[in-house]
């Protein structure tokens, strides 16, 4: 419920700032990213469309217990998307106010937030293994549960390091970002593979 509340606050704040700027007498700069109304209102409307999915998910997931299990995970994912959209929105606002904005900095910030959110959400997506399922199905589900576990820690560390890439010199931001991203993915894959191999050796 708290995450939904923050989502609503972000949307209202984004709309409020846009409405204030659009109706004010401030001299707003023309940019090459599109007309002023588009810059001010396209992302807040996108935030509404994205977060409206939270109200339809319970109807789309037929099993109520399954939805309750994944509910907090879905809310975390949508909150991270809202934060990324809000950062992009206020970047455009600074742009029309005449400030220089480096949108390249949004790349490590956005992906870092996604990695951290994903890491916190992954444990919620452990799959239940039914004894009535076939051996092949049980084996596949068990492999998923084993592989998912070790992913969380490297994703959190990688996401946090990625956020600090914004403090690098401008010409090194993307280089640092890709180095952290590749390292994080490789370490995550290695740890998952190692966990699965350990499980097989213990059978």
């Amino acid at each position: 419920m708290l995450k939904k509340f923050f989502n609503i606050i972000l949307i209202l704040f984004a709309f409020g700032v846009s409405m204030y700027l659009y109706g004010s007498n401030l001299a707003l700069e023309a940019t090459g990213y599109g007309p002023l109304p588009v810059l001010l209102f396209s992302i807040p409307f996108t935030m509404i469309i994205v977060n409206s999915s939270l109200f339809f998910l319970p109807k789309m997931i037929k099993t109520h217990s399954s939805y309750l299990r994944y509910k907090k995970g879905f809310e975390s994912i949508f909150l991270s998307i809202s934060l990324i959209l809000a950062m992009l929105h206020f970047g455009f606002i600074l742009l029309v106010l005449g400030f220089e904005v480096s949108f390249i900095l949004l790349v490590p910030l956005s992906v870092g937030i996604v990695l951290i959110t994903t890491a916190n959400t992954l444990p919620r997506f452990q799959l239940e293994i039914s004894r009535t399922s076939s051996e092949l199905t049980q084996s596949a589900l068990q492999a998923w549960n084993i592989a998912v576990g070790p992913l969380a820690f490297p994703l959190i560390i990688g996401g946090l390091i990625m956020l600090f890439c914004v403090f690098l010199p401008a010409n090194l931001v993307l280089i640092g970002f890709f180095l952290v991203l590749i390292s994080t993915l490789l370490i995550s894959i290695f740890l998952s593979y190692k966990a699965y191999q350990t499980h097989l050796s213990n059978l």
Side-chain angles (χ1 to χ4, degrees), residues 194-203:
K194 186 177 179 181
Y196 185 65
Q197 289 300 313
T198 302
H199 168 72
L200 291 179
S201 64
N202 292 331
L203 291 177

Side-chain angles (χ1 to χ4, degrees), residues 3-173:
K3 291 171 185 175
K4 281 186 177 180
F5 174 75
F6 280 130
N7 267 327
I8 293 171
I9 293 298
L10 276 175
I11 293 170
L12 291 177
F13 189 59
F15 260 113
V17 173
S18 294
M19 289 293 294
Y20 171 76
L21 291 176
Y22 191 70
S24 70
N25 294 321
L26 294 173
L28 303 178
E29 298 282 337
T31 72
Y33 292 96
L36 185 62
V38 173
L39 289 180
L40 291 179
F41 295 105
S42 59
I43 292 181
F45 275 116
T46 302
M47 292 168 73
I48 288 178
I49 293 170
V50 168
N51 283 286
S52 64
S53 302
L54 282 173
F55 296 96
F56 295 111
L57 278 173
K59 297 178 181 179
M60 294 170 64
I61 300 177
K62 295 181 180 180
T63 307
H64 186 64
S65 59
S66 296
Y67 173 72
L68 291 177
R69 183 181 177 187
Y70 301 129
K71 180 174 178 286
K72 290 184 178 179
F74 286 133
E75 289 177 353
S76 296
I77 291 170
F78 282 108
L79 180 58
S80 68
I81 294 172
S82 292
L83 286 170
I84 292 167
L85 289 171
M87 286 192 300
L88 184 60
H89 179 59
F90 290 109
F92 280 129
I93 284 176
L94 290 174
L95 202 64
V96 299
L97 288 174
F99 295 95
E100 290 188 10
V101 179
S102 178
F103 282 99
I104 200 170
L105 296 179
L106 291 175
V107 175
L109 284 174
S110 301
V111 179
I113 291 173
V114 169
L115 288 181
I116 294 169
T117 304
T118 301
N120 287 318
T121 303
L122 277 175
R124 303 182 188 279
F125 289 90
Q126 292 278 329
L127 300 175
E128 293 181 359
I129 302 175
S130 174
R131 293 182 180 180
T132 59
S133 302
S134 65
E135 288 187 11
L136 181 61
T137 300
Q138 289 185 33
S139 177
L141 295 179
Q142 193 172 32
W144 166 264
N145 289 340
I146 292 168
V148 163
L151 291 176
F153 184 71
L155 290 182
I156 288 178
I157 299 301
L160 289 173
I161 295 173
M162 203 171 283
L163 295 180
F164 287 99
C165 287
V166 299
F167 298 108
L168 293 172
N171 60 327
L172 296 177
V173 171

